[in-house]
């Protein structure tokens, strides 16, 4: 169990670090007005940008939550940020290529996997409507940026050394000030999120260590049991989205619909993401992030299984 937990942490930590770095770069270097200028005004356009942004900014689910939190703190609409968080770990070139390779060039598997991720991601985006970033986030720690304070700190009439806007006390004057601010934010975000990654890895390793192989065989009997069983396994194992297609392909006795459901739900909801959802987002949003993808993928997976997949 210890070995499995360590393996999960070592596999996920680089992506969490990368996500924390991307979030820090957004926090320090990207002005809010520049970011918002790239976002369409229409609700449909915003959801579409969020769903497909991973094609340009691919991020594993191990590091997506810090990036999305920073985007929301930059006042990016939840209608963009939440679909991006759910879809980007799958709707990106790296995962599409790995899925295609694992299933020997079967484009139908890739298409179904994308479909089972895009639908709940877009549904949550539309459901959020015109919600404010503040309404989906929990109260932030003191080392994170509050939008109003950051704007006040960067008004041009101030002639003193400015902070980075997060309340951490770092000045942004001097030749290496921005670099220091990026490193500080990266470290703070990584440590803040890392403890939940470790907790999720321990729980996932426990499932992996103590789940008897005979249990899997029990679920093969019916489409509902097969889809639900592999979904539960995906949530428990918490495998990175770049590698889960190879694990799914190894379940030879399960129907393809169950394998696709396995690959769809894991990157959206797993034991390392659930603690992060509950920590970063309000309870209602966190529950929706867990329930909507799970129910949607299960229903679609069962329908595919009944259709012969």
């Amino acid at each position: 169990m210890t070995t499995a937990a360590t393996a999960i942490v070592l596999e996920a930590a680089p992506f969490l670090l990368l996500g924390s770095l991307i979030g820090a770069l957004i926090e320090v270097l990207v002005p809010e007005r520049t970011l918002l200028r790239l976002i369409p005004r229409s609700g449909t356009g915003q959801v579409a940008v969020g769903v497909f942004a991973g094609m340009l900014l691919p991020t594993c689910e191990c590091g997506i939550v810090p990036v999305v939190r920073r985007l929301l703190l930059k006042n990016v609409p939840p209608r963009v940020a939440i679909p991006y968080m759910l879809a980007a770990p799958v709707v990106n070139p790296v995962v599409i290529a790995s899925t295609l390779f694992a299933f020997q060039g079967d484009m139908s598997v890739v298409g179904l996997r994308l479909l089972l991720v895009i639908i709940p991601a877009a549904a949550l985006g539309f459901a959020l409507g015109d919600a404010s970033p503040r309404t989906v986030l929990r109260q932030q720690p003191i080392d994170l940026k509050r939008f109003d304070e950051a704007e006040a700190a960067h008004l041009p009439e101030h002639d003193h050394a400015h902070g980075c806007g997060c309340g951490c006390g770092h000045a942004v004057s001097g030749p290496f000030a921005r670099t220091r601010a990026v490193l500080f934010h990266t470290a703070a975000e990584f440590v803040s999120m890392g403890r939940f990654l470790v907790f999720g890895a321990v729980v996932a390793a426990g499932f992996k260590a103590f789940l008897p192989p005979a249990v899997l065989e029990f679920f093969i009997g019916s489409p509902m049991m097969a889809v639900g069983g592999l979904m539960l396994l995906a949530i428990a194992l918490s495998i990175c989205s770049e590698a889960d297609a190879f694990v799914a392909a190894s379940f030879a006795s399960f129907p393809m619909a169950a394998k696709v459901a396995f690959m769809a739900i894991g990157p959206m909801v797993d034991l390392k993401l659930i603690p992060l959802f509950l920590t970063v987002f309000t309870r209602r949003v966190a529950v929706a992030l867990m329930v909507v993808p799970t129910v949607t993928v299960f229903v679609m997976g069962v329908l595919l299984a009944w259709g012969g997949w």
Side-chain angles (χ1 to χ4, degrees):
M1 178 177 169
T2 302
T3 303
T6 303
I8 293 173
V9 172
L10 292 178
E11 180 188 55
F15 296 100
L16 181 60
L17 181 60
L18 177 61
S20 299
L21 176 60
I22 294 172
L25 290 171
I26 293 171
E27 168 76 17
V28 176
L29 302 180
V30 182
E32 185 216 356
R33 283 185 289 273
T34 300
L35 198 59
L36 296 181
R37 197 178 299 127
L38 302 174
I39 298 173
R41 292 183 179 274
S42 71
T44 302
Q46 291 178 356
V47 172
V49 166
V51 167
F52 294 105
M55 297 300 293
L56 298 177
L57 187 62
T59 309
C60 175
E61 76 273 13
C62 305
I64 192 70
V65 177
V67 175
V68 168
R69 178 160 70 171
R70 292 295 179 181
L71 289 174
L72 288 167
L73 287 171
K74 284 285 185 179
N75 236 29
V76 170
R79 200 156 41 191
V80 175
I82 298 301
Y84 171 70
M85 182 177 68
L86 294 176
V90 172
V91 187
N92 73 67
V94 177
V95 172
I96 290 173
S98 68
T99 306
L100 198 62
F101 185 80
F103 286 89
Q104 302 178 347
D106 192 339
M107 280 299 300
S108 63
V109 175
V110 176
L112 288 173
R113 182 181 191 183
L114 294 177
L115 184 66
L116 263 65
V117 169
I118 289 173
I119 288 177
L124 274 172
F126 284 116
L128 287 167
D130 296 321
S132 162
R134 297 283 185 85
T135 64
V136 303
L137 288 171
R138 281 186 177 274
Q139 185 176 0
Q140 299 302 304
I142 59 172
D143 64 315
L144 294 178
K145 171 179 178 259
R146 291 183 63 88
F147 171 73
D148 294 336
E149 294 173 359
E151 287 297 293
H154 289 84
L155 288 174
E157 59 265 28
H158 290 284
D159 57 1
H160 54 78
H162 300 308
C164 63
C166 68
C168 61
H170 285 302
V172 297
S173 60
F176 302 107
R178 290 187 180 274
T179 301
R180 291 196 301 269
V182 168
L183 293 177
F184 173 83
H185 281 290
T186 301
E189 196 78 32
F190 181 75
V191 172
S192 175
M193 296 291 184
R195 64 183 187 269
F196 300 105
L197 170 63
V198 172
F199 172 77
V202 171
V203 176
F207 273 93
K208 189 174 183 179
F210 299 112
L211 185 68
V215 173
L216 289 180
E217 299 298 326
F218 170 76
F219 287 96
I220 299 175
S222 73
M224 293 183 66
M225 295 293 287
V227 171
L230 281 195
M231 286 179 62
L232 180 62
L233 189 65
I235 293 171
L237 293 182
S238 304
I239 303 169
C240 188
S241 60
E242 280 88 354
D244 61 359
F246 298 95
V247 177
S250 69
F251 298 127
S253 55
F254 280 81
M256 185 61 70
K259 299 177 188 179
V260 173
F262 175 92
M263 294 185 292
I265 194 60
M268 291 191 287
V269 182
D270 64 28
L271 289 182
K272 65 179 180 292
L273 288 173
I274 290 172
L276 299 179
F277 290 162
L278 293 171
T279 302
V280 171
F281 300 101
T282 61
R283 184 175 298 275
R284 176 181 294 183
V285 173
V287 170
L289 288 171
M290 293 181 281
V291 171
V292 173
T294 302
V295 172
T296 305
V297 171
F298 178 74
V299 171
M300 294 182 66
V302 171
L303 290 176
L304 288 172
W306 283 343
W309 279 88

